[in-house]
Amino acid sequence: MVETMKWENGKLILLDQTKLPVSVEWISCDTYQRVGKAIQKLEVRGAPAIGAAAAFAMVLAWRKIVEKYETKRDAANTSNMQLQTYAAMLYGSHDHAAKKLQQQLLKKFLQTRNDLDASRPTAVNLSWATKLMYDAACKMSEAGLDLPQTDAELEKLAVKVYEQDIAKNRKMGEYGAEVVPEEAVILTHCNAGALATCGWGTALGVIRSAHEKGKVKMVYSDETRPLLQGSRLTAWELLEDNIPVTTITDNMAAWSMKTKGINIVITGADRIAANGDTANKIGTYGVALAAKAHGIPFYIAAPASTFDFSLKNGSQIPIEERNANEVRSFQGKVSAPKNVNVFNPAFDVTPAKLIAGIITEYGVLRPPFSKSIKELKTKVLREELFTWKA
């Protein structure tokens, strides 16, 4: 199974997905800005992977923020002095100084969170992870942790996000494999595999688990215009795992459903509203409509962190629009007149009424989704898997 990222020696090492399948190259990130750039450029992509990368980016940001204050301390010729003691020189008593210093650091940390959130607005896992890390830092400050302790605890939390994502995907795969029929001919869109997560995958995780059970006859992978995540990434992943795959262009999906015996559709998700409306890669809505017309069950596979319980329905989901040149050209080759108007939304929203079930690490949610998602929210709040506690 392909690896998407590594945390090594205080740096986040990302697999550059824009280079696949031609070459396997890695990007070394030692600042949160470089991680943000990787997210924007789709060098790392997929909602769960973006979330984990953002968690590590927050660790990098915290270290840079503290480093700047240490540089100020050293410039004052007090390099042997604890940073909190130096702060006391600036702000008065130790207690007051520590509080003032933490406020300054947290203010900078909040700006980091906002910067990262702006890098890709649709994938809710991104803001979920940055909020998690920022809230944890605030709680650590309230608990009286010093700066090295806060640094260590933030790193542990980011690693936990990474490790838990793989565990959740495995669990999701187990539940999802149960809904996959024998002799399954599966259609999937974009890439919701190990490359889109920290490992195993969401939609492709379900497919992997079903393949282990001998259920998969063939997977049809939509090419996924304009950046070809389906043909470049999904096909590559499945071939690497010796899972039978056929790539089709997006406009072949409906005809393939009619002529190739497709009996289930499984995709990932970038944000799911409280009523089950689901944002995913552009083209998913059309696939869901075609599946409905052919009587084929359409499933979403996504972890609980992809649900935005604050949104009543899909009309409230922000849809990212990307650079027009992604459509006018591809890999340096012109594919449209350079001055033509372009509409390039990165996502669309599939109405809940087209979805047969949503596969999560807690089980398969069924309609009515307003009820099943409300029950999921209760479970998530009760478990509080990622809440930092002193």
Side-chain angles (χ1 to χ4, degrees), residues 18 24 27 43 51 57 61 65 90 102 115 129 141 143-144 147 194 214 230-231 243 248-249 252 261 337 347 380:
T18 65
V24 177
I27 302 164
E43 292 165 336
I65 291 167
L90 298 179
Q102 289 284 9
D115 290 346
S141 175
L147 298 180
S231 57
I243 298 174
I248 59 174
T249 62
M252 297 175 185
F347 305 94
V380 171

Side-chain angles (χ1 to χ4, degrees), residues 32-242:
Y32 87 88
Q33 292 94 337
R34 184 61 186 91
V35 180
K37 181 180 178 181
I39 292 170
Q40 287 179 322
K41 293 178 65 178
L42 305 184
E43 292 165 336
V44 60
R45 42 147 303 280
I50 288 172
F56 285 118
M58 292 290 279
V59 177
L60 294 172
W62 179 262
R63 290 178 177 174
K64 289 295 182 183
I65 291 167
V66 172
E67 184 181 291
K68 286 183 179 180
Y69 277 85
E70 289 177 334
T71 300
K72 291 180 181 178
R73 176 202 62 190
D74 294 347
N77 295 318
T78 56
S79 58
N80 293 325
M81 189 182 293
Q82 288 289 331
L83 189 54
Q84 281 90 341
T85 305
Y86 170 63
M89 291 173 58
L90 298 179
Y91 302 122
S93 69
H94 274 276
D95 289 344
H96 176 69
K99 184 176 180 180
K100 187 74 174 179
L101 177 61
Q102 289 284 9
Q103 287 174 347
Q104 293 293 325
L105 297 177
L106 290 172
K107 182 179 179 181
K108 295 286 187 182
F109 204 43
L110 178 60
Q111 183 58 55
T112 296
R113 173 188 167 186
N114 293 336
D115 290 346
L116 286 168
D117 286 353
S119 58
R120 295 206 72 190
T122 301
V124 73
N125 301 62
L126 172 57
S127 56
W128 170 85
T130 58
K131 181 180 186 301
L132 170 78
M133 300 297 287
Y134 175 75
D135 288 351
C138 291
K139 290 179 181 178
M140 293 171 198
S141 175
E142 292 169 3
L145 271 65
D146 63 22
L147 298 180
Q149 289 171 326
T150 299
D151 181 296
E153 290 298 315
L154 287 174
E155 182 177 23
K156 287 179 186 177
L157 188 56
V159 171
K160 184 178 179 180
V161 170
Y162 174 86
E163 293 175 345
Q164 283 292 325
D165 182 67
I166 299 172
K168 288 187 293 183
N169 292 336
R170 289 277 187 175
K171 198 68 179 175
M172 204 182 313
E174 293 174 15
Y175 285 121
E178 297 303 314
V179 307
V180 175
E182 298 292 338
E183 293 292 297
V185 181
I186 305 168
L187 176 72
T188 191
H189 188 72
C190 195
N191 174 263
L195 288 169
T197 67
C198 299
W200 200 246
T202 55
L204 292 196
V206 171
I207 292 170
R208 282 189 171 93
S209 295
H211 182 256
E212 287 183 345
K213 296 177 181 294
K215 285 185 163 186
V216 178
K217 182 179 179 181
M218 178 58 66
V219 179
Y220 282 85
S221 170
D222 277 350
E223 179 186 46
T224 318
R225 282 284 289 153
L227 298 180
L228 310 186
Q229 293 97 325
S231 57
R232 289 190 305 106
L233 306 179
T234 293
W236 180 76
E237 265 198 61
L238 294 177
L239 286 173
E240 287 286 304
D241 284 356
N242 296 311

Side-chain angles (χ1 to χ4, degrees), residues 281-303:
K281 182 55 58 186
I282 190 71
T284 304
Y285 180 26
V287 169
L289 288 169
K292 185 74 170 180
H294 290 87
I296 300 169
F298 177 93
Y299 286 91
I300 295 292

